Amino acid sequence: MSKPDIKPVPIKIHPRLTSGRFNNMRVGMVALTQLAFFGMPWLQWNGRQAVHFNLAEHHFLIFGISLWPQDFIYLAALLVVSALGLFLWTTLAGRLWCGYSCPQTVYTQIMIWIERAIQGDHNARRKLDAAPMSAGKLAKKSATQMIMAAFSLWTGLTFVGYFTPMRELATLQMGPWDLFWTLFYGGFTWLMAGVLREKVCLHMCPYARFQGSMFDDNTLIISYDAKRGEPRGKTQAKSEAQTKGCIDCGICVQVCPTGIDIRNGLQYECIGCAACIDACDQVMDKLKSPRGLIRYTSANALQGKPAQSPSFHRPRIVIYSSLLAGIITLSTTALVLKKPFKVDVLRDRASLVEQSDDGLLQNRYSLRVINTTEQAQRYVVTVEGLPGIRMEKPGEVIEVKPAQTETVPVRVQAAPENAPRGSHRIHFVIRSLNDDVTIREKSSFIGE
Ligand code: SF4
Ligand code: SF4
């Protein structure tokens, strides 16, 4: 009985290096996203870190825009816009996000570059994996892991730098939680991009599973043109290959970071990196055959049907675009009209009502004034709602530093004949002296 022909399953995929226009775009996106990620925490804006999410003080600072817990609606809007933008983008252009900008793709790419720089091309790496342990193998593998670990740690430190001032972290002024999150996020980067790599896309990413439901027949996909390419064969005469296509060289499979064969049709494992397009285009160039045996296309185009014209008039595109436009317009308008300060009024419940030396009824409050601007601000407070009601110190100026909060105890007074027993609705009127903006905050005054 002959032994069954079982091919060994490769434990680790070592994709072959590609070059070409889509590879250049991918490299450009890696450079752009990493420049933004690593550079942003170092940027200063009005003398402070430009992007700083200060969780301890519940205060987010984004290029001069101060966001407090009351403003989290803007962050929620930003999340919704990001999600809808991704849905719209996926319907229009398929897995461009996965192929070019997803952190998993970008960091895996960087880890593969590190591996290639130390261990050589895909064949050399495969041979090294298969070789028995030796001093040379140990040295190469250790050096690779050390550089990957150093890069991952720097990534972790940068991530924490969005929450704790980066310039403090860089001089190792970090608390135990900063250290913990640096190690945690660094370890996470190393695990996801250095160890698991394409397995995250294949088995763990939920987006990979449900994005198919956003595709329609006009969505841009990477596809092999079977009409042109088949029947494939290494034995095709050169003249035939020049007009037909696939010579079954297998290079499109060798370059694939998820190890699939695009010629088997659209597969969820395809992350849309376009490495197979670059690879096949180079083969076609050598054969002097037209490029595009593997190309960006759509299901309709592959079947010879015309794309809907214009291709933006599709139900999903219209729905996602309308929602996006509505949310962006609303939140931008609200952000532009946002008051430059906020006030919370808290009644002192320990002493409901007391009498001043001159016989007036007196209530105590705490005014929490939040200056959301980047300049020091001065405010005056008046009170209204009862005849003759007034602040104990009329005209007193409250000063609050840039993007800071000041809690000020104040007393409000009213004559007993104007404030009979019970609770009376009053309003504090807080006016910014810098830009003449006024806020009214309601509260209550207890009479005797
Ligand atoms: S690279 Fe192109 S020619 Fe080579 S196997 Fe893939 S599809 Fe066929
Ligand atoms: S099939 Fe092509 S586009 Fe899809 S993951 Fe593989 S190389 Fe990238």
Side-chain angles (χ1 to χ4, degrees), residues 17 26 105-106 119 123 130 142 153 173 177 186 188-189 216 255 272 309 318 376 423:
L17 179 65
R26 233 177 12 258
T105 311
V106 167
Q119 300 177 19
N123 282 328
S142 313
L153 270 182
Q173 298 174 48
W177 280 112
F188 188 73
T189 305
D216 62 24
V255 297
S309 182
V318 172
S423 175

Side-chain angles (χ1 to χ4, degrees), residues 26 222 252-253 255-263 265 267 269-277 294 296:
R26 233 177 12 258
I222 292 175
C252 54
V253 182
V255 297
C256 178
T258 61
I260 60 166
D261 187 341
I262 190 71
R263 295 170 299 170
Q267 297 149 72
E269 293 96 333
C270 173
I271 60 168
C273 68
C276 52
I277 302 185
I294 302 174
Y296 278 107

Side-chain angles (χ1 to χ4, degrees), residues 7-33:
K7 287 186 184 161
V9 178
I11 293 171
K12 189 168 178 185
I13 295 172
H14 289 296
R16 180 180 174 143
L17 179 65
T18 40
S19 58
R21 56 205 165 127
F22 297 112
N23 183 61
N24 293 343
M25 278 167 60
R26 233 177 12 258
V27 172
M29 279 308 287
V30 171
L32 200 69
T33 50

Side-chain angles (χ1 to χ4, degrees), residues 212-248:
S213 61
M214 294 170 220
F215 283 27
D216 62 24
D217 287 344
N218 286 304
T219 299
L220 209 56
I221 49 171
I222 292 175
S223 191
Y224 165 72
D225 188 345
K227 270 193 200 152
R228 172 184 155 186
E230 300 294 317
R232 68 185 82 156
K234 286 186 172 126
T235 53
Q236 284 183 86
K238 192 168 180 223
S239 57
E240 196 185 351
Q242 281 171 355
T243 52
K244 275 196 65 63
C246 180
I247 56 166
D248 206 12

Side-chain angles (χ1 to χ4, degrees), residues 339-375:
K339 300 252 178 171
F341 65 101
K342 299 179 193 304
V343 181
D344 293 329
V345 179
L346 294 171
R347 266 193 56 82
D348 184 349
R349 301 206 177 268
S351 80
L352 282 183
V353 57
E354 54 195 33
Q355 201 145 32
S356 69
D357 294 342
D358 45 4
L360 294 173
L361 296 181
Q362 189 166 268
N363 283 197
R364 293 173 189 237
Y365 304 82
S366 286
L367 298 187
R368 187 163 168 266
V369 185
I370 304 165
N371 176 6
T372 62
T373 70
E374 290 297 300
Q375 294 81 38

Side-chain angles (χ1 to χ4, degrees), residues 82-95:
S82 308
L84 281 173
L86 192 59
F87 296 166
L88 175 66
W89 190 239
T90 304
T91 307
L92 273 174
R95 293 191 74 166

